[in-house]
Amino acid sequence: MTRGDLPLGDPAAAMHLEGIMVRGRSRPLLQVPRLSLAPGEVLAVMGANGAGKSTLVQVGALLRRPDLGEVWVGGERATRRGSRALRRRVAVVFQAPLLFDRTVLANVASGPRFRGVSRRVADARAADWLRRFGIADLSRRNARALSGGEAQRTNLARAFATEPDLLFLDEPFAALDAPTRAELLGDLRTWLSETGTAAVLVTHEIREAEVLASRLVVLAGGAIARTGTVPEVVATPGDPAVAALLAPITAARRRGSDDLYGAQEANRGW
C-alpha cells in the first residue's frame, strides 16, 4: 500500500477524499475518485487556472460541501453536524493574509483562541511562533502596517499556533518578491518537518513543490491528470495538459537555467 492509497476512513490518513464531485454550471469543477494524505506528508497541487485547485482546498478544508462523495480528516468522516468540530483541526493559509486591525501578537493568538484555547496559552503559542518565524520584534505593531513578507509570516505563524492536524497552503508565496519567497520557503520547510504537520500546498511554482512536497498532483479540467513524486512528474508528464503546464520548466532546465521562478512567471496564464 502506498502513502497515497490509504483505505477509506483509515485512522492513519490525515485526509481522505472519496468519490468527490463538485458540479459547476456547465461542467464538473472537481472530480476526485480517491485521494489520501498520510500524517506528516506534504502534497503539492498544480494546474492551470480553473483546473480545480481552489475547489480542492475548499472541499478538503471543509469550507465547501461536495455535491457527491465523502471527506475524512484524521479517520473521521465529515458530516453536516460534525464538520465544525473537524474544521478546528484544519488551518488554511491563503495568498492574501487575512489580518485584523490589531497587534501582530493578537492576530496570531486569535487562531488558537477561536479554537477554545485560553488567552494565556494562546498568547504563549503566538509569542513562540512569532519567534520561530523571525518576527518577535513586531509583536506589538499593528498588523495593517506590515510589509507583504511580514504579513505572510504572521499569517503562517497564526496557522501553526492552532497546532493543526492538517494545513492547506493556497499559493502562500504568490504575492511575494523572489528573495522573500525563498527565505520564507526555507522557514516553512523547517517548521513543517519539525512539527510533522500534514499539508496540501497549491502552487504555480515547481520549485516550491520540490522543496516542500514528497508528492505532486496535477489537476486538469477538475480531474487528477498526473500524480507521483515531483521528479517523476517532471520527467514523464504523460498527459498532454501536464506536459504543456511543465514545458517552461523543462525548457529552462535544458538551458541549464536555475531561474525557474522566471520561467514560470512567463507562464502565468496557466
Side-chain angles (χ1 to χ4, degrees), residues 33-245:
R34 173 170 285 196
L35 180 64
S36 288
L37 182 70
E41 182 181 14
V42 179
L43 173 71
V45 178
M46 298 181 69
N49 289 335
K53 302 184 300 296
S54 293
T55 305
L56 178 64
V57 170
Q58 292 166 6
V59 170
L62 307 177
L63 300 175
R64 178 174 185 168
R65 287 185 61 84
D67 294 299
L68 295 172
E70 296 181 339
V71 181
W72 296 70
V73 175
E76 294 187 35
R77 183 170 65 89
T79 64
R80 288 186 182 276
R81 291 185 177 182
S83 290
R84 179 173 295 182
L86 278 180
R87 198 177 296 129
R88 291 181 177 180
R89 296 161 57 181
V90 179
V92 185
V93 173
F94 294 105
Q95 176 180 335
L98 304 175
L99 301 178
F100 304 116
D101 187 16
R102 301 168 64 187
T103 67
V104 169
L105 180 69
N107 268 272
V108 176
S110 69
R113 286 287 289 159
F114 285 150
R115 286 159 172 78
V117 174
S118 71
R119 182 178 300 278
R120 181 181 62 82
V121 173
D123 285 350
R125 282 193 201 172
D128 180 48
W129 279 105
L130 288 174
R131 176 187 59 79
R132 296 194 201 195
F133 276 101
I135 52 173
D137 58 320
L138 303 178
S139 64
R140 299 301 174 187
R141 184 179 299 182
N142 188 288
R144 299 289 175 84
L146 299 176
S147 69
E150 292 166 345
Q152 197 59 295
R153 286 180 181 276
T154 301
N155 204 18
L156 286 163
R158 179 171 57 189
F160 276 97
T162 67
E163 299 183 352
D165 296 330
L166 180 59
L167 175 62
F168 286 86
L169 302 157
D170 193 356
E171 299 192 57
F173 311 118
L176 305 179
D177 59 69
T180 301
R181 184 187 303 172
E183 184 179 1
L184 195 50
L185 187 62
D187 288 345
L188 184 56
R189 175 175 57 182
T190 297
W191 302 128
L192 284 172
S193 176
E194 291 198 6
T195 60
T197 303
V200 176
L201 169 72
V202 174
T203 180
H204 280 290
E205 312 290 358
I206 195 67
R207 178 58 178 164
E208 293 172 7
E210 289 177 321
V211 170
L212 295 178
S214 58
R215 190 159 51 103
L216 172 63
V217 165
V218 181
L219 296 177
I224 296 176
R226 181 75 167 89
T227 184
T229 66
V230 179
E232 287 171 350
V233 175
V234 171
T236 55
D239 187 275
V242 180
L245 186 73

